[in-house]
Amino acid sequence: MPKATPYFSQDYDEARAKFKDATKAAGGTLEHFLNEAERGLKGEELSTDVAWHGPKDAEAVLVTISGTHGAEGFCGSGVQIGWLESGLVEEMPANTALLQIHAINPYGFSWIRRVTEDNVDLNRNFLDHTAGNWPENPGYNELAEVICPKEWDDATIASANAVLLAYADEHGATALQSAISGGQYNHADGIFYGGRHDTWSKVTLHEILDRYLGKAKRVALIDYHTGLGPRGYGERICVHQPGSPGIQRAEAFYDGDITSPYLGSSSSVPLHGVNLLGIEAAIPHADLTAVALEYGTRPTLEVKHALRADNWLHLHGKIDSKKGQAIKEDIRAAFYQDADDWKAMIWERGVETQRMALNGLWS
C-alpha cells in the first residue's frame, strides 16, 4: 500500500490544485462549478470541481463526495486524489464510470468551517423548503443559548457545559446528541442549522446529478466525513430505511459491515435533511447504494466544543486575533488529524470501501 501522506493537503487551495492535476494526469474530464458570490480565506475563487472517468453512458457509476461539511474535506479529498495518483482508477470494470465530486462545500473547506457560507449544515439542508414545514427540535430550542452563548470565556463555557451535562443526566446522552446535532431549523445563528432555503451547494449537487447520472442504472455513492466515532476508524453509515432495497444492497456490498442510525447501531443519531436521501430522491431511475464513510478524530465532546467555538468566532469574534487563530486551529484538528497514522487509516479504509463498492455494482 503506498504511503498516504502525499495525497492529503494543508488547505483548500492546495487540495483543489492537486485534484485538478491528478484528474488530468489520469485522463479524466474536469468541470468546474464556481461559487461566484463568495471568496476563500486567502481570497481565492471557490469551486466544486467534478471529475469523470469512464464511458459517458456507463450503466454503473461509483460516486465519491468530499467536503459536504467543509472542514471535513481534507479527508475525502485525500482519498479522491490518491485514487487517481496511485493508479487505482485503472481497476475500474468495463461499462463502469467514476464520478468524483470534490469540495461540494468549497466555502467551508477554505474557511475551515463545517457549514456553508450561509451558516447552513449541508447535511441537514435536503428538505423541500417550499413547503414551509420544517422539523421541530424542542431539545435544541431549550438549549440554544447554552449551546451557542454570546460570550466565549472560561466562566461562560463552564456554566453552559454544566447545563448540557444536566440535560444529559435527565434525558440521556442520546437525547442530548439528538438535540444538538439532529438538525434544527429555528436558529439561523446556531450550529447544525438546516436552513430555510436551498443552499448554493445543494443546488450545485442537484445540477451535477442531473448532468452526469441521467443514464446510470446502478450507483454506489460514498460521502466522506470526519469527526464522529473512534479515531481513524471508518464507519460505513447507511441511511437507507431499514428493510429497504437500498440497505439490503449496502449489506451485500460491504459484507454486513454497515451501521444504521435508525436501528441504533451507528455512532450517529437519526438526522433531518440528509443529503444521501436527497440524492436518492433525485435519481429515482437508478438503484442507489449509499454510505457515509465517517472517520473519528477526537472525543465527541471536544468536537462539539470546537464547533461551538467556531460558531461564536464567526458571529462575535475576530479571526485574526490570537483567540480566533486558536479556535481555527482547534476546529481544524477536530476534523483533520495531521498525523501519518491517521491518514494511513483514512486511505486504507477508503480504498477498501471503494473497491467493495465497485464489486457490489456488478454482483
Side-chain angles (χ1 to χ4, degrees):
M1 184 67 66
K3 188 177 181 182
T5 304
Y7 305 144
F8 294 85
S9 306
Q10 290 301 304
D11 57 28
Y12 162 77
D13 216 18
E14 180 187 353
R16 186 184 183 206
K18 281 185 176 180
F19 180 74
K20 292 194 295 182
D21 288 346
T23 300
K24 293 173 183 176
T29 59
L30 266 171
E31 186 172 11
H32 312 294
F33 295 79
L34 295 180
N35 186 341
E36 296 180 352
E38 301 292 333
R39 304 297 291 186
L41 180 61
K42 298 188 295 183
E44 74 273 27
E45 70 176 13
L46 296 176
S47 175
T48 293
D49 299 305
V50 175
W52 179 273
H53 300 264
K56 292 294 184 183
D57 58 351
E59 293 183 9
V61 182
L62 171 61
V63 181
T64 66
I65 301 176
S66 64
T68 295
H69 294 136
E72 304 173 23
F74 297 97
C75 164
S77 171
V79 178
Q80 289 175 320
I81 292 165
W83 189 263
L84 303 180
E85 290 189 351
S86 66
L88 290 173
V89 69
E90 298 173 7
E91 295 184 3
M92 301 291 293
N95 202 18
T96 305
L98 171 65
L99 173 64
Q100 294 179 313
I101 303 172
H102 185 267
I104 188 60
N105 172 11
Y107 168 88
F109 196 165
S110 176
W111 286 87
I112 314 179
R113 301 206 69 199
R114 194 172 182 274
V115 293
T116 65
E117 58 272 17
D118 28 18
N119 197 49
V120 171
D121 185 322
L122 182 57
N123 204 32
R124 310 293 185 276
N125 188 233
F126 282 76
L127 297 172
D128 179 6
H129 298 285
T130 62
N133 184 27
W134 297 280
E136 288 294 332
N137 186 338
Y140 192 100
N141 293 339
E142 178 181 341
L143 297 169
E145 292 186 4
V146 293
I147 292 173
C148 296
K150 294 182 180 179
E151 302 294 333
W152 198 256
D153 53 58
D154 291 344
T156 304
I157 294 167
S159 176
N161 287 348
V163 175
L164 296 176
L165 290 174
Y167 186 94
D169 287 341
E170 181 178 355
H171 301 283
T174 300
L176 178 62
Q177 184 181 355
S178 295
I180 295 175
S181 62
Q184 57 87 13
Y185 298 83
N186 293 327
H187 304 271
D189 59 351
I191 58 175
F192 298 100
Y193 175 60
R196 293 197 165 195
H197 66 275
D198 290 343
T199 60
W200 176 90
S201 293
K202 178 185 175 182
V203 172
T204 299
L205 182 57
H206 276 289
E207 184 176 350
I208 293 167
L209 299 176
D210 290 343
R211 192 168 301 191
Y212 286 92
L213 297 183
K215 296 182 179 180
K217 296 180 180 178
R218 298 181 301 283
V219 175
L221 188 145
I222 302 167
D223 187 23
Y224 282 88
H225 289 266
T226 60
L228 188 62
R231 180 180 182 272
Y233 175 70
E235 178 186 347
R236 299 178 183 123
I237 302 175
C238 183
V239 297
H240 294 295
Q241 290 295 320
S244 68
I247 197 169
Q248 291 171 1
R249 287 192 299 269
E251 289 171 345
F253 276 32
Y254 302 112
D255 295 334
D257 185 9
I258 61 169
T259 66
S260 169
Y262 306 114
L263 298 175
S265 58
S266 175
S267 59
S268 173
V269 294
L271 309 175
H272 298 296
V274 178
N275 64 339
L276 299 184
L277 295 181
I279 293 169
E280 185 174 43
I283 53 170
H285 56 278
D287 290 335
L288 175 67
T289 307
V291 295
L293 191 53
E294 177 77 59
Y295 295 95
T297 50
R298 291 160 56 179
T300 299
L301 288 178
E302 292 183 20
V303 174
K304 295 292 194 296
H305 179 87
L307 282 172
R308 293 163 63 205
D310 185 68
N311 179 266
W312 172 86
L313 175 62
H314 284 266
L315 283 175
H316 308 291
K318 296 181 179 179
I319 295 178
D320 58 356
S321 67
K322 183 177 180 181
K323 185 176 184 178
Q325 290 302 301
I327 288 173
K328 295 312 293 187
E329 289 176 9
D330 193 45
I331 194 166
R332 177 189 175 91
F335 294 108
Y336 178 54
Q337 297 278 287
D338 199 2
D340 286 351
D341 69 322
W342 187 83
K343 295 172 187 176
M345 289 186 282
I346 301 309
W347 169 247
E348 290 168 10
R349 182 71 161 175
V351 169
E352 176 190 60
T353 301
Q354 292 190 188
R355 279 176 165 160
M356 294 178 82
L358 286 171
N359 291 333
L361 284 169
W362 290 100
S363 62

